[in-house]
């Protein structure tokens, strides 16, 4: 099946969902296929230990696992729950892809 022949499932799903919540149609707002980012998602740094069990010889390296995502924060940035969610999202996407 060519890409042009693929079935478009999202419009049907969206309409079925709207029908499911028809009794509350005035209470809900729908947005289909919402773009989550203006540009490609990019981790600041991904550090991968080539071999399991390698001991890194500095204090930062003591905390490393096999895959390590580093998110740089400037002096004007906050380290908060949103940062945690962002890096967790990167980890989940990296794992899924």
């Amino acid at each position: 099946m060519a890409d042009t022949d693929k079935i478009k499932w999202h419009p049907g799903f969206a309409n079925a969902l709207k029908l499911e919540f028809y009794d509350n149609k005035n209470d809900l707002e729908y947005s289909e296929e919402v773009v989550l980012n203006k540009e490609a998602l990019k981790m600041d740094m991904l550090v991968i230990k080539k071999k399991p069990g390698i001991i890194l010889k500095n204090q930062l390296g003591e905390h490393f696992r096999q895959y390590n995502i580093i998110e740089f924060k400037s002096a004007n940035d906050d380290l908060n729950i949103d940062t945690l969610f962002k890096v967790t999202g990167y980890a989940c996407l990296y794992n899924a892809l």
Side-chain angles (χ1 to χ4, degrees), residues 27-42:
D27 300 320
L28 301 171
E29 177 180 317
Y30 299 94
S31 300
E32 298 176 27
E33 298 187 11
V34 176
V35 176
L36 296 177
N37 206 6
K38 294 179 183 174
E39 58 184 58
L41 292 172
K42 294 184 253 182

Side-chain angles (χ1 to χ4, degrees), residues 65-97:
R65 304 284 189 218
Q66 184 176 3
Y67 296 92
N68 305 276
I69 296 171
I70 311 294
E71 179 70 14
F72 176 77
K73 304 306 288 177
S74 75
N76 298 328
D77 289 333
D78 292 323
L79 184 58
N80 56 32
I81 193 69
D82 292 333
T83 306
L84 174 65
F85 289 155
K86 180 179 178 181
V87 175
T88 302
Y90 288 162
C92 293
L93 284 169
Y94 183 77
N95 184 55
L97 301 174

Side-chain angles (χ1 to χ4, degrees), residues 49-57 61-62 64-66:
K49 287 168 65 175
K50 292 182 179 182
K51 297 178 185 174
I54 297 292
I55 305 297
L56 301 179
K57 299 174 183 173
E62 291 175 3
F64 275 26
R65 304 284 189 218
Q66 184 176 3

Side-chain angles (χ1 to χ4, degrees), residues 3-21:
D3 283 346
T4 56
D5 297 335
K6 286 188 177 179
I7 296 172
K8 307 287 187 210
W9 293 102
H10 286 160
F13 170 76
N15 286 321
L17 192 63
K18 290 174 187 176
L19 282 174
E20 192 65 29
F21 293 109

